[in-house]
Amino acid sequence: MSAIPKAVLYYYPLSVWSSATLLALEEKGYGDNDVDLKIVDLCKSYRSLRLNDSQGEIAKGENYGPPFLRLNAKARVPTLVVPLQKTLGEDVESRYKAITETKAIIGFLDKSRSPLSRTNTTSDAPAPSLMPASIAFLATSKTIVEEILHSEQNDPNNLTYVNARDDTSLRVLSESLLPYFKGRQEALAGYLADPESRVTDKVKNFWRTKKEAIDALMAVYEKGDKSESELSDDDKAKRKEFFTTAKSVWEEHLAKVLLKLNSEIIGPYALGEQYSIADPHLAAWLTRIVMLAGGSAEDNGSTVISKLESHIGNGLAIPKIRAVAVAGEEAVSKSKLAEYWDAMKERNSWQKVYSNGLH
Ligand SMILES: N[C@@H](CCC(=O)N[C@@H](CS)C(=O)NCC(=O)O)C(=O)O
């Protein structure tokens, strides 16, 4: 009998939205052999800084290469490729579909493993439903996941790229991101210059647009080790514009977003006592933001929230509303976000996905 084709998750271990998907796989109790995990090398030189090569199979084509673009025209991870069920019989050529948005992937993973479904699973772990338990909860989940976490303005990668508001932090940021951006820039330049490449104009334009965005950031990072007085007028203007954007993103926009999240979530999880589809999104997003604010995996909720408040500055104070009595100690009041962090940290899924530190 021919083997039943498996779903393949294309991911990158340091990517926020890949991590959300990995959290969901764990929470749903999928076994190690249920889904094939393949790393898409967003950037080789960046990966070699932080990861060792033994983690899974590495797809050398990178996310901008034509083979991956055929799966996901936006060149992003995570991407889940699933066999279509009607073709699962013997001697039938398998057909696949690619699911290219984190929200859809997590929804799919939630539906595809239930206490009743016994197909293609190697795990005995429980299969809890992550669907919100009421229409009201579903609405809150949508607000958190779609309106807040996945809105373009709150893109955790963009927040990463502009996480510097003075010369000292720009120097640190540039040093850490330059290898990553250089690798991506070189990959795109290579694809664009390849005389053998038989891609459409649409793909070429996509590569060009991506490269222009990277070039603009690189122009700032490449001068990141210079003091203001060493810069040309043109470079001074670019740095100034970068700081203006960074200030508006971090101090005005993100401050409001955190206050909104803190009021939307119910606690201890996003939708109350039950872990739901909103949680892998929120846990992965918040973990990245906490990392950007200098938090670490050892910090408790109150510590990471105060680190976030001081990193953002501008008088941000996230309201504390709960007095929680810890065994033998006085009740401490925490914000809902702090309580959320503590609840996430307790979970096996979070401990597994962030076992090498926050990212
Ligand atoms: N809307 C997408 C966003 C995915 C996304 O931003 N992925 C990032 C990594 S976290 C990526 O693949 N970046 C590579 C690129 O855009 O070049 C989703 O929800 O899945």
Side-chain angles (χ1 to χ4, degrees):
M1 203 179 102
S2 58
I4 296 172
K6 273 194 226 171
V8 182
L9 179 66
Y10 292 88
Y11 79 113
Y12 184 67
L14 300 177
S15 120
V16 175
W17 298 126
S18 296
S19 300
T21 315
L22 297 177
L23 288 169
L25 276 176
E26 283 300 309
E27 291 289 345
K28 282 298 293 184
Y30 281 94
D32 287 346
N33 291 321
D34 290 345
V35 176
D36 273 338
L37 297 182
K38 290 198 177 160
I39 292 179
V40 176
D41 199 352
L42 292 191
C43 175
K44 190 164 189 287
S45 48
Y46 183 63
R47 189 202 67 223
S48 59
L49 292 175
R50 301 271 310 267
L51 296 171
N52 64 47
D53 274 3
S54 62
Q55 280 180 290
E57 189 180 324
I58 291 166
K60 284 283 178 212
E62 297 191 306
N63 60 318
Y64 295 126
F68 190 71
L69 287 178
R70 280 195 280 277
L71 295 177
N72 184 340
K74 289 186 177 157
R76 284 176 171 157
V77 289
T79 294
L80 183 72
V81 176
V82 295
L84 289 177
Q85 268 177 350
K86 61 177 192 285
T87 63
L88 282 183
E90 275 182 78
D91 304 325
V92 179
E93 195 194 335
S94 298
R95 283 170 202 280
Y96 296 84
K97 75 170 172 181
I99 309 177
T100 58
E101 290 290 327
T102 306
K103 191 179 151 267
I105 295 173
I106 291 179
F108 180 89
L109 292 174
D110 184 37
K111 284 197 209 91
S112 305
R113 187 166 198 275
S114 73
L116 296 175
S117 80
R118 286 273 171 268
T119 345
N120 201 16
T121 184
T122 55
S123 162
D124 294 329
S129 167
L130 304 184
M131 267 317 275
S134 71
I135 289 176
F137 283 159
L138 188 61
T140 305
S141 173
K142 271 184 172 247
T143 305
I144 294 172
V145 174
E146 291 171 40
E147 283 173 36
I148 305 181
L149 303 177
H150 283 279
S151 85
E152 216 176 302
Q153 277 189 303
N154 301 331
D155 177 351
N157 295 309
N158 192 36
L159 285 159
T160 308
Y161 305 154
V162 298
N163 186 29
R165 284 165 278 154
D166 58 37
D167 289 357
T168 315
S169 51
L170 179 63
R171 184 182 292 261
V172 177
L173 182 76
S174 304
E175 239 175 56
S176 75
L177 290 179
L178 264 175
Y180 173 60
F181 275 92
K182 264 205 184 108
R184 300 174 84 199
Q185 197 181 37
E186 279 164 17
L188 285 163
Y191 289 129
L192 278 163
D194 183 359
E196 300 286 294
S197 132
R198 291 189 304 269
V199 296
T200 59
D201 285 348
K202 199 172 157 203
V203 169
K204 282 194 184 138
N205 283 333
F206 172 76
W207 283 336
R208 260 183 226 115
T209 313
K210 283 277 169 185
K211 190 168 172 297
E212 275 160 22
I214 290 170
D215 290 347
L217 282 167
M218 286 282 280
V220 176
Y221 300 151
E222 270 174 338
K223 303 282 159 60
D225 60 342
K226 305 249 179 307
S227 66
E228 167 103 23
S229 58
E230 294 171 281
L231 296 179
S232 69
D233 285 349
D234 187 38
D235 290 334
K236 263 187 207 151
K238 283 182 182 149
R239 186 179 289 189
K240 195 168 165 220
E241 194 191 329
F242 178 93
F243 286 150
T244 306
T245 309
K247 280 201 171 102
S248 110
V249 168
W250 275 88
E251 293 171 18
E252 288 160 38
H253 187 73
L254 187 63
K256 284 192 202 124
V257 167
L258 289 171
L259 290 169
K260 183 156 166 62
L261 271 176
N262 191 61
S263 81
E264 287 290 340
I265 62 178
I266 296 165
Y269 301 118
L271 305 183
E273 297 297 327
Q274 240 178 331
Y275 193 98
S276 74
I277 39 167
D279 291 306
H281 296 274
L282 180 53
W285 185 91
L286 188 62
T287 301
R288 167 63 65 87
I289 307 301
V290 164
M291 184 209 84
L292 295 174
S296 78
E298 287 72 42
D299 291 338
N300 67 25
S302 300
T303 306
V304 295
I305 297 309
S306 70
K307 282 184 177 175
L308 260 175
E309 287 166 340
S310 62
H311 184 74
I312 291 172
N314 223 8
L316 173 66
I318 298 173
K320 299 184 172 104
I321 57 152
R322 299 200 171 191
V324 184
V326 186
E329 288 173 29
E330 256 182 73
V332 246
S333 44
K334 292 194 216 178
S335 62
K336 278 195 281 176
L337 277 174
E339 184 189 37
Y340 186 79
W341 182 263
D342 289 331
M344 279 302 115
K345 267 190 71 172
E346 294 277 300
R347 298 193 75 87
N348 290 336
S349 60
W350 193 89
Q351 288 167 14
K352 185 169 175 189
V353 173
Y354 296 104
S355 61
N356 289 329
L358 310 185
H359 55 254

